[in-house]
């Protein structure tokens, strides 16, 4: 009986979540801002500003991909992460190292000059991320717009996957967003341009794997483990903030599939990444992405899907005048 009740509850919850997602998605559309900004092409304005920044600083791609995930992974893509002030999402520990807010603010200011109160901050996040990816890969993709900004931003809402998550734990999180485990493997490919700090791998992978003092994760390539322990992340507190590249250093600024090739060679830095290859349920997908060029078109598709998680549309929420505060 207990099992049946649980199964019914899961179905009801799933339907409720799908209902939330599809209500908003039904009202999102391609070219939503056409004819709404006093003759200005909103998407062209965003693209111009992002491309100019990318020319000076290619790291903006990694910043925006992370910002988008931390935004849409908490209450959906609603601009909650952009709000300043005590106790907001921005102040939660996983978000303290998120970057790119200044460029979102610059884009918003420019659009407010051209058509005040029209373009939402959540749409700007989606468009700017798309344009950063496009600047990096030369490949554009369509995103639907028409999101509104939520009047909520609370630090305790922030529950994002940890660097040591198992595939099961990570898949459960992505499932709450209405995304499949395949989507998860593709989206974690954003780490191809990512970096982490030694503090995220020292305990779990290098010096006390499985809670055992001095133990190193046996699933890490021994040569890589030795390089980390000797040069990058020695076992002293002073190395905590040293940077670890999540992809091969030579490819660290390119959005490509080399991240998956690293996982095949057991050279993933974060446990959550390497687990994608260690776990039989997702290894085939890692192999597919490493051995083909499918990442090139699957990644934009997955980003567009992530960008439509639990959005507000129509008369819900608001269109903020300034992205860092409610109207």
């Amino acid at each position: 009986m207990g099992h049946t009740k649980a199964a019914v509850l899961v179905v009801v919850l799933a339907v409720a979540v799908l209902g939330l997602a599809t209500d908003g998605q039904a009202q999102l559309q391609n070219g939503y801002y056409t004819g709404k900004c006093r003759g200005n092409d909103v998407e062209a304005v965003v693209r111009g500003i992002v491309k100019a920044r990318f020319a000076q600083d290619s790291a903006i791609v990694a910043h925006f991909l992370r910002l988008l995930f931390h935004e849409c992974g908490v209450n959906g893509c609603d601009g909650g992460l952009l709000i300043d002030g005590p106790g907001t999402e921005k102040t939660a520990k996983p978000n303290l190292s998120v970057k790119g807010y200044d460029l979102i603010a610059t884009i918003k200011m420019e659009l407010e000059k051209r058509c005040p109160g029209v373009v939402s901050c959540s749409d700007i996040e989606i468009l700017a991320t798309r344009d950063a990816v496009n600047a990096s890969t030369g490949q554009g993709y369509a995103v639907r717009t028409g999101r509104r900004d939520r009047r909520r931003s609370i630090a305790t809402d922030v529950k994002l996957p940890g660097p040591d998550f198992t595939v099961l734990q990570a898949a459960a999180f992505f499932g709450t967003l209405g995304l499949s485990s395949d989507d998860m493997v593709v989206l974690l490919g954003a780490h191809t341009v990512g970096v982490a700090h030694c503090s995220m791998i020292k305990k779990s992978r290098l010096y006390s794997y499985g809670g055992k003092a001095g133990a190193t994760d046996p699933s890490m390539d021994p040569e890589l483990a030795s390089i980390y322990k000797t040069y990058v992340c020695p076992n002293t507190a002073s190395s905590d903030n040293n940077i670890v590249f999540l992809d091969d250093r030579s490819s660290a600024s390119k959005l490509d599939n080399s991240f998956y090739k690293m996982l095949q060679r057991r050279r993933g830095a974060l446990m959550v990444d390497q687990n994608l290859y260690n776990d039989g349920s997702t290894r085939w997908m890692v192999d597919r992405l490493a051995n083909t060029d499918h990442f090139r078109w699957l990644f934009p598709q997955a980003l567009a899907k992530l960008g439509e998680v639990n959005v507000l549309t129509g008369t819900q929420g608001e269109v903020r005048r300034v992205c860092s505060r409610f109207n």
Side-chain angles (χ1 to χ4, degrees), residues 56-300:
Q56 301 165 346
D57 178 17
S58 63
I60 197 64
V61 183
H63 297 337
F64 273 166
L65 287 171
R66 186 150 184 262
L67 182 140
L68 188 73
F69 181 65
H70 285 231
E71 174 65 85
C72 297
V74 179
N75 298 331
C77 310
D78 62 0
L81 178 57
L82 305 176
I83 295 290
D84 285 340
T88 58
E89 286 179 33
K90 203 180 261 190
T91 67
K93 196 176 176 191
N95 291 335
L96 295 177
S97 51
V98 170
K99 295 174 180 160
Y101 300 120
D102 62 313
L103 191 55
I104 299 286
T106 300
I107 294 167
K108 179 63 171 167
M109 238 161 61
E110 183 58 37
L111 288 170
E112 284 298 299
K113 276 188 220 159
R114 295 169 185 246
C115 49
V118 171
V119 186
S120 69
C121 297
S122 34
D123 271 344
I124 290 171
E125 290 175 297
I126 302 296
L127 292 168
T129 303
R130 184 266 303 270
D131 294 334
V133 169
N134 181 21
S136 171
T137 62
Q139 189 181 350
Y141 58 96
V143 292
R144 299 194 295 177
T145 43
R147 291 163 193 77
R148 308 258 297 175
D149 302 320
R150 198 184 305 272
R151 291 187 57 83
R152 179 184 178 96
S153 180
I154 301 173
T156 50
D157 286 349
V158 179
K159 294 174 179 70
L160 290 159
D164 301 330
F165 265 32
T166 64
V167 164
L168 208 61
Q169 288 171 315
F173 170 81
F174 278 86
T176 64
L177 307 182
L179 300 172
S180 69
S181 64
D182 287 357
D183 293 326
M184 167 184 77
V185 179
V186 173
L187 285 168
L188 284 174
H191 286 170
T192 186
V193 290
V195 296
H197 292 110
C198 286
S199 56
M200 296 175 94
I201 64 168
K202 277 164 69 172
K203 199 170 170 188
S204 58
R205 302 209 72 197
L206 299 177
Y207 300 111
S208 54
Y209 172 75
K212 196 173 158 202
T216 300
D217 183 350
S219 76
M220 182 182 277
D221 170 54
E223 186 195 3
L224 182 68
S226 169
I227 289 167
Y228 281 153
K229 286 158 83 168
T230 311
Y231 304 108
V232 191
C233 307
N235 198 12
T236 57
S238 61
S239 73
D240 279 0
N241 285 325
N242 289 356
I243 281 178
V244 174
F245 288 89
L246 301 183
D247 192 0
D248 192 271
R249 181 111 190 228
S250 63
S251 172
S253 62
K254 280 194 217 114
L255 266 173
D256 57 20
N257 71 340
S258 72
F259 166 75
Y260 300 102
K261 294 176 179 173
M262 293 277 286
L263 300 186
Q264 286 179 319
R265 291 160 51 214
R266 299 192 299 146
R267 294 176 77 91
L270 296 180
M271 195 179 267
V272 67
D273 290 345
Q274 190 57 52
N275 282 342
L276 297 177
Y277 194 68
N278 296 347
D279 191 306
S281 69
T282 44
R283 179 181 299 154
W284 71 274
M285 190 64 181
V286 172
D287 284 335
R288 175 188 172 185
L289 294 165
N291 301 337
T292 66
D293 70 344
H294 294 181
F295 179 69
R296 199 168 49 83
W297 51 270
L298 285 173
F299 188 59

